[in-house]
C-alpha cells in the first residue's frame, strides 16, 4: 500500500556531510509526521529528527546543530542533511512516516528499508 524508499547513505570521513532522502508513495491520503531514526549495532533504534506537516521540527540532543530535517509535502519526501559527521553517527538510518490512507482512517506508521551511514575517523 505504502512504500518508503530511502537514498543517500554511504561512507564519509569524520567532519563530512551526507544528505538522506526518503520518498513515500502508494495509496496516501495525507502524511502527518515524518522522521528519521537510526540503529547502531547492538543498540536500540533511536529517534534522530522528526518534522510535522506544518514544519515543526524536533531533534535528538546528539544531532542538534549538525543535522537538519526538512520535507516536501507535494513530493511526500523527507530529507536529512547531516553535517559535521562523527564516527558515533555510524548506523542504519530508517525513514518513518505517519500515513493516513483515507480521510476516515487514523494515521499508521510506515518504515523504509534503511540506509547505511558509516563515518570513518
Amino acid at each position: 500500500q505504502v512504500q518508503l524508499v530511502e537514498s543517500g547513505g554511504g561512507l564519509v570521513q569524520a567532519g563530512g556531510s551526507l544528505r538522506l532522502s526518503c520518498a513515500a508513495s502508494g495509496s496516501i491520503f495525507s502524511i502527518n509526521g515524518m522522521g528519521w531514526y537510526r540503529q547502531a549495532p547492538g543498540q536500540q533504534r533511536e529517534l534522530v529528527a522528526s518534522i510535522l506537516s506544518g514544519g515543526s521540527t524536533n531533534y535528538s540532543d546528539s544531532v542538534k546543530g549538525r543535522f537538519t530535517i526538512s520535507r516536501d509535502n507535494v513530493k511526500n519526501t523527507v530529507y536529512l542533511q547531516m553535517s559535521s559527521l562523527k564516527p558515533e553517527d555510524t548506523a542504519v538510518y530508517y525513514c518513518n512516516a505517519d500515513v493516513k490512507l483515507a480521510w476516515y482512517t487514523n494515521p499508521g506508521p510506515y518504515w523504509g528499508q534503511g540506509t547505511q551511514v558509516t563515518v570513518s575517523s
Side-chain angles (χ1 to χ4, degrees), residues 50-101:
S50 62
I51 183 168
L52 299 180
S53 57
S56 298
T57 59
N58 180 54
Y59 296 92
S60 69
D61 289 342
S62 62
V63 307
K64 278 181 182 177
R66 300 188 298 122
F67 291 9
T68 301
I69 190 170
S70 61
R71 66 188 281 176
D72 184 326
N73 291 331
V74 174
K75 296 181 179 180
N76 288 333
T77 300
V78 63
Y79 307 94
L80 186 68
Q81 177 66 48
M82 304 184 292
S83 303
S84 302
L85 282 161
K86 305 175 181 179
E88 49 263 44
D89 294 318
T90 296
V92 178
Y93 283 70
Y94 296 91
C95 171
N96 169 269
D98 288 327
V99 179
K100 287 175 65 74
L101 302 181

Side-chain angles (χ1 to χ4, degrees), residues 1-6 22-34 75-78 95-102 105-113:
Q1 286 180 321
V2 176
Q3 299 82 38
L4 273 63
V5 179
E6 298 132 336
C22 172
S25 63
S27 301
I28 298 172
F29 175 77
S30 66
I31 301 177
N32 294 352
M34 302 185 81
K75 296 181 179 180
N76 288 333
T77 300
V78 63
C95 171
N96 169 269
D98 288 327
V99 179
K100 287 175 65 74
L101 302 181
T105 62
N106 292 322
Y110 290 85
W111 293 90
Q113 79 286 357

